[in-house]
Amino acid sequence: EPEVTQTPSHQVTQMGQEVILRCVPISNHLYFYWYRQILGQKVEFLVSFYNNEISEKSEIFDDQFSVERPDGSNFTLKIRSTKLEDSAMYFCASSVNSRWTEAFFGQGTRLTVV
Amino acid sequence: DAKTTQPTSMDCAEGRAANLPCNHSTISGNEYVYWYRQIHSQGPQYIIHGLKNNETNEMASLIITEDRKSSTLILPHATLRDTAVYYCIAVNSGYSTLTFGKGTMLLVSP
């Protein structure tokens, strides 16, 4: 079964440092998403990406966040200057189209900011 | 997107059917009902979706009431591996954002 791959599985970073979370979506998928889940809380939408540009973003996705698809296979989330409250599980997802029927989520990257 | 209401938690015995209810009384005509689940510390997993008709796939069945104000996800023979948080989400077909609520924590016991 095809899967979305995220690396690393766990990232520890110091407050104020930049961090890049990486995702390899399923190869024929066209839509890409980042979600996050703070421990014990709901899964929250961050951003959706299509045709090399952001199609939608939430209030959480401020200027500290950016996304990129640098080489046609990877999809990255960058947090410019991490804060303690950025500690969360970050999930990447991809889908063939904008309908969620065939959306697959990765296993997540646990980001811990110390 | 319409708000959905689900019980906080449910229990089910292994091998029995698990019936997870969801209320979506303000759902509009172009909103689908999607079900996802999240096994502990893993990414959400798509289960099934529907608009008006009942749907069945290899994982589950979805029963939507005629007025579309509520639905039930049925896992016909629950296993221990079905222990997870189940999310019922109303999704407007014109938008790409899934909005997760708190869901129902289903505990399947031996």
Side-chain angles (χ1 to χ4, degrees):
Chain A
E1 184 174 295
E3 61 178 17
V4 175
T5 306
Q6 291 187 243
T7 55
S9 56
H10 191 187
Q11 172 97 42
V12 181
T13 189
Q14 287 201 325
M15 191 169 54
Q17 294 296 303
E18 175 183 285
V19 66
I20 297 175
L21 308 182
R22 302 182 192 279
C23 169
V24 179
I26 294 169
S27 60
N28 64 334
H29 285 190
L30 302 176
Y31 292 79
F32 314 107
Y33 312 85
W34 283 101
Y35 279 74
R36 79 171 186 190
Q37 186 174 32
I38 295 170
L39 187 63
Q41 297 188 24
K42 296 187 282 188
V43 177
E44 300 174 293
F45 169 74
L46 292 179
V47 66
S48 60
F49 191 85
Y50 170 70
N51 201 24
N52 280 323
E53 59 182 26
I54 291 173
S55 49
E56 195 173 350
K57 61 181 180 178
S58 71
E59 292 178 351
I60 302 169
F61 194 89
D62 60 21
D63 292 343
Q64 294 285 53
F65 291 89
S66 62
V67 290
E68 198 176 35
R69 190 157 157 79
D71 56 11
S73 61
N74 292 286
F75 179 51
T76 62
L77 174 69
K78 183 193 291 186
I79 308 175
R80 225 175 308 280
S81 176
T82 50
K83 299 176 280 203
L84 295 177
E85 52 265 39
D86 293 327
S87 295
M89 195 76 153
Y90 287 80
F91 295 108
C92 172
S94 70
S95 62
V96 170
N97 52 41
S98 60
R99 288 272 304 277
W100 283 89
T101 303
E102 297 172 15
F104 291 84
F105 281 78
Q107 290 304 296
T109 292
R110 179 165 298 286
L111 177 66
T112 303
V113 182
V114 297
Chain B
D1 294 339
K3 179 178 162 54
T4 62
T5 306
Q6 300 177 253
T8 303
S9 63
M10 293 184 65
D11 293 327
C12 180
E14 188 179 19
R16 303 296 294 268
N19 297 285
L20 292 92
C22 179
N23 285 319
H24 31 79
S25 58
T26 61
I27 198 168
S28 64
N30 61 350
E31 286 184 304
Y32 288 75
V33 179
Y34 277 74
W35 284 83
Y36 274 76
R37 73 179 181 183
Q38 187 177 25
I39 296 169
H40 180 63
S41 295
Q42 296 184 22
Q45 177 189 23
Y46 165 80
I47 302 173
I48 199 167
H49 79 289
L51 184 63
K52 296 180 187 176
N53 300 322
N54 298 336
E55 303 287 345
T56 296
N57 63 19
E58 65 278 3
M59 289 183 69
S61 294
L62 174 61
I63 308 297
I64 303 174
T65 57
E66 197 168 333
D67 62 8
R68 301 213 323 125
K69 293 186 176 184
S70 66
S71 59
T72 301
L73 178 75
I74 301 172
L75 307 179
H77 306 286
T79 71
L80 300 179
R81 287 175 295 183
D82 291 322
T83 291
V85 179
Y86 287 77
Y87 301 99
C88 168
I89 307 171
V91 182
N92 189 309
S93 60
Y95 295 99
S96 61
T97 303
L98 271 180
T99 302
F100 289 86
K102 294 183 180 179
T104 296
M105 175 65 218
L106 174 69
L107 177 61
V108 181
S109 305

